[in-house]
Amino acid sequence: DEEEEEEEGRLFVRNLPFSTTEEDLVAFFRRYGELSAVHLCVDKNSKQPTGLAFVLFLLPNDAKKALAATDGNIYQGRLLNVIPAK
């Protein structure tokens, strides 16, 4: 159930530039609310970024605000795809 997933406050971010760092994501997303975790996905073999990340907000409502404000917007030259994380 999508509404239930949004209540958890976790977002899945796709199409990030490979140069993006966790610090970049914290700086970008914290304007929407307090974060409890940011995880930048890396390839298990090469240890290189995959352009994917999970962002966890302390308050689920802040995640909803971030989703509405960032999905489909440009970030570091790339079109972001942000969805509730499963």
Side-chain angles (χ1 to χ4, degrees):
D1 180 274
E2 188 173 312
E3 191 172 300
E4 185 177 300
E5 291 159 6
E6 285 182 9
E7 289 304 312
E8 294 177 9
R10 259 173 61 122
L11 299 177
F12 181 56
V13 185
R14 299 188 289 197
N15 203 34
L16 290 165
F18 295 147
S19 60
T20 301
T21 65
E22 287 186 359
E23 292 78 20
D24 292 336
L25 291 175
V26 168
F28 181 71
F29 280 100
R30 72 175 166 208
R31 71 184 82 178
Y32 303 104
E34 191 173 344
L35 302 172
S36 39
V38 172
H39 175 72
L40 194 59
C41 301
V42 295
D43 181 271
K44 66 180 180 178
N45 296 321
S46 71
K47 305 297 184 219
Q48 296 299 310
T50 60
L52 308 172
F54 289 94
V55 178
L56 180 61
F57 284 87
L58 196 59
L59 301 175
N61 201 44
D62 291 340
K64 289 179 187 177
K65 288 189 297 188
L67 174 64
T70 60
D71 184 40
N73 285 343
I74 301 295
Y75 175 75
Q76 295 183 357
R78 304 285 302 258
L79 183 67
L80 283 186
N81 180 249
V82 182
I83 60 173
K86 296 183 180 188

